[in-house]
Amino acid sequence: MGEGERLLSSPDHAKYRSIDSFFDEAAAAAAAATSESSARNSATTTNNPYTRIRFPWRYLLIIVSIGTANASFCTAILLISYLLADNEFNSTVMRDDPDHWAGPLAAAVFAGMLPGGLLAGTICDSWVGRKPLLLITLTANVTTAIWTAFVNGPIGLILCRFLAGIAIGATEPPLFALATELSPPKHRGLCVSFVASFWMVGNLVVAVVGLVVFRYLVWSWRYYVLICATPAVLGLLMLAMCVPESPRFLAYVRRDIGGAVSSANR
């Protein structure tokens, strides 16, 4: 039995700090340090407690990164609504028969989300982990977006949308698990709500890009699809660089105490 397993299974392991306690103390210490630094550098700082920074920028960067990933999957789902309203798309891909293909095309992404969501929990809990699975699904989202931009027939597009749905469905469980497990307990509700609110950011991106591309620039729908993949690329880069793996997953599932400590202190 390793040292980490010995500590977790020992009867007196309760005397050690929990991961939640660790995050609470880390957040409080970071906020205090930021407030003290601001007080030293500003001659106008008052004693009003509401002028202090209470939420460290490091946590904010993590939550924004996860939220950007969430927004990218919203754009992947909703962009098809704007494509179906485009005449060029209907003539080149839908073969001038949108009434026949629109239903299966719109349903394909949701049909893929069902198996993706059912499998994701087991995969991220038992084998891969939260962050690696998110990186895989974001990469799949970018890949299917590029495929969508170059497809020339309804069957290929339906298959592409089904695969995109699998990636989207597999994203939600690890995404919100990671947001929950990396958030300081005192701010956990705020953090998870903030991540969830990025779904509306994705709505806005799809609508604004559609307005600019189709009405003002009069570009092809293929450019619209590629531009809508930008949040996925951005989320992939931010997640890879700014978000650690969940210390709770490393400690309780992998039994990697050293890795959990390293991730928590990253």
Side-chain angles (χ1 to χ4, degrees):
M1 179 181 293
E3 180 65 17
E5 293 182 347
R6 186 187 64 80
L7 290 175
L8 289 174
S9 60
S10 63
D12 60 342
H13 76 279
K15 71 179 182 181
Y16 299 101
R17 287 185 302 171
S18 67
I19 294 176
D20 283 349
S21 298
F22 180 93
F23 280 139
D24 260 342
E25 293 172 17
T34 305
S35 298
E36 291 173 5
S37 176
S38 300
R40 288 195 301 267
N41 296 331
S42 176
T44 60
T45 300
T46 67
N47 291 325
N48 185 350
Y50 294 101
T51 64
R52 300 173 184 171
I53 298 176
R54 294 181 176 273
F55 196 74
W57 69 269
R58 185 71 182 89
Y59 286 107
L60 182 61
L61 182 59
I62 290 173
I63 296 305
V64 169
S65 300
I66 300 174
T68 303
N70 191 31
S72 72
F73 293 104
C74 174
T75 63
I77 291 175
L78 297 180
L79 65 84
I80 198 65
S81 301
Y82 294 84
L83 295 183
L84 289 172
D86 182 64
N87 292 330
E88 180 196 354
F89 175 80
N90 286 326
S91 62
T92 57
V93 178
M94 306 296 279
R95 310 290 169 82
D96 290 320
D97 191 11
D99 293 339
H100 178 74
W101 294 107
L105 182 58
V109 66
F110 299 106
M113 288 176 66
L114 178 60
L118 292 175
L119 294 174
T122 301
I123 293 173
C124 74
D125 276 343
S126 303
W127 301 330
V128 178
R130 283 88 161 96
K131 179 179 176 179
L133 184 57
L134 279 177
L135 293 176
I136 292 171
T137 56
L138 281 166
T139 302
N141 193 16
V142 174
T143 303
T144 54
I146 296 173
W147 182 7
T148 299
F150 293 97
V151 75
N152 288 310
I155 300 299
L157 185 57
I158 289 173
L159 177 60
C160 178
R161 296 293 293 170
F162 177 77
L163 295 177
I166 293 176
I168 295 169
T171 296
E172 297 304 315
L175 186 143
F176 285 102
L178 195 60
T180 300
E181 294 172 358
L182 289 176
S183 303
K186 290 182 180 179
H187 302 288
R188 185 162 289 159
L190 172 65
C191 291
V192 175
S193 298
F194 191 68
V195 169
S197 71
F198 269 73
W199 191 265
M200 301 312 300
V201 174
N203 275 275
L204 291 175
V205 169
V206 170
V208 172
V209 172
L211 178 66
V212 173
V213 169
F214 292 127
R215 174 170 294 184
Y216 296 110
L217 298 178
V218 197
W219 285 357
S220 168
W221 64 271
R222 301 181 191 275
Y223 291 107
Y224 172 70
V225 172
L226 292 175
I227 294 172
C228 284
T230 303
V233 176
L234 184 60
L236 178 63
L237 295 175
M238 294 178 68
L239 195 76
M241 294 186 295
C242 304
V243 180
E245 176 58 287
S246 165
R248 186 183 298 275
F249 169 80
L250 293 173
Y252 289 105
V253 179
R254 291 279 177 82
R255 299 285 176 164
D256 182 6
I257 303 302
V261 171
S262 176
S263 177
N265 284 287
R266 178 179 168 183

